[in-house]
Amino acid sequence: MKLKQRISALFMLAVVLLFNVNMTASAHDVPDLTRAGSISVTVKYDGKAVSGGTLSVCRVGNITENNGDYSFTLVSDFVDSRVSLADPGSDRAAAELASFAEGRKMSMQTGEISEDGTIVFQNLEPGLYLLVQKDAADGYNEINPFLVSVPMLEGGEYIYEIDASPKVETEKTNIPPEKPEQSPQTGHSDDVLPYIIAVEISLCMAGAIGCALFLHRRKKK
């Protein structure tokens, strides 16, 4: 091979290697599956924090990592649910997993929601987590079940302290209107009162007629 051809080949090889290095550098990070994370939640209504009630969490998915990308598979306790984790943000998947957990009476980590409407679950190993609410704040409905991954990929980087507040919005319960106060019962319904009065008048008239006839007969004697 001539010298010029060798130089050209080496130059092309250098360009290819440099391109691959740049592509690798621009790719997102690889998740650290040994690092624990956390999930913080603020329960809200109409944009304002709601205090009271509880929130429960349990791990439902394992992480399968491949060249920095990862997917989820059901943990052993949830395999029989046969719920697909292809879309970790699916409301349907969260609802089905919550129903399965309730039916199996599975144990969950539960905490009380603080006065500022927040709760934090710490020291969570990497995976997909189901969050459900069984006890809502007074006057509010239970929030819908939802799924959160630890870690979470954002902007090409993995974060391990997850703020799941945007997923949590509760609603006020439907309070039936108060019944108007009823007037005390007098012993007679307003519907039958006219008939009672008519009967009493008739009896009085009959008595008066009877007395008149009795007096008329005595005069004749």
Side-chain angles (χ1 to χ4, degrees):
M1 183 180 294
K2 295 181 180 180
L3 180 60
K4 290 184 178 180
Q5 291 177 334
R6 289 181 179 179
I7 293 175
S8 297
L10 291 173
F11 177 79
M12 291 300 297
L13 179 60
V15 170
V16 171
L17 291 174
L18 182 60
F19 177 80
N20 288 335
V21 169
N22 289 334
M23 288 295 293
T24 302
S26 62
H28 59 69
D29 294 339
V30 175
D32 183 358
L33 301 184
T34 65
R35 178 178 172 181
S38 66
I39 298 175
S40 63
V41 175
T42 301
V43 181
K44 297 180 181 180
Y45 171 75
D46 197 20
K48 298 180 180 179
V50 176
S51 61
T54 63
L55 195 64
S56 301
V57 64
C58 69
R59 189 169 176 271
V60 297
N62 294 315
I63 292 180
T64 301
E65 187 267 333
N66 182 19
N67 293 329
D69 296 319
Y70 65 94
S71 58
F72 299 102
T73 56
L74 291 168
V75 299
S76 58
D77 288 344
F78 284 86
V79 169
D80 290 342
S81 71
R82 299 182 180 179
V83 175
S84 172
L85 301 182
D87 180 9
S90 169
D91 293 337
R92 178 178 178 180
E96 290 177 351
L97 289 168
S99 178
F100 181 84
E102 183 178 3
R104 296 292 180 93
K105 301 185 183 301
M106 291 186 177
S107 175
M108 292 188 176
Q109 180 183 348
T110 301
E112 295 183 357
I113 297 170
S114 65
E115 293 184 358
D116 60 358
T118 63
I119 184 171
V120 181
F121 297 101
Q122 297 178 332
N123 298 320
L124 303 177
E125 64 177 298
L128 186 66
Y129 287 84
L130 170 69
L131 289 96
V132 297
Q133 186 174 44
K134 298 179 181 179
D135 298 314
D138 291 340
Y140 292 87
N141 294 322
E142 298 170 358
I143 61 176
N144 294 325
F146 60 98
L147 296 168
V148 177
S149 67
V150 178
M152 182 179 292
L153 182 63
E154 287 189 359
E157 296 182 356
Y158 286 97
I159 58 174
Y160 296 80
E161 285 70 42
I162 313 301
D163 181 8
S165 300
K167 290 178 172 286
V168 184
E169 192 79 16
T170 185
E171 294 290 341
K172 285 189 173 181
T173 55
N174 294 324
I175 302 175
E178 295 183 0
K179 295 182 179 179
E181 294 184 2
Q182 296 181 349
S183 58
Q185 295 293 331
T186 59
H188 300 295
S189 172
D190 293 340
D191 294 336
V192 301
L193 189 59
Y195 299 100
I196 294 175
I197 295 174
V199 170
E200 291 179 350
I201 293 174
S202 299
L203 292 173
C204 291
M205 292 179 64
I209 293 172
C211 290
L213 291 174
F214 176 76
L215 293 173
H216 179 69
R217 288 177 181 176
R218 288 193 65 181
K219 287 181 179 180
K220 284 185 177 182
K221 293 179 179 181

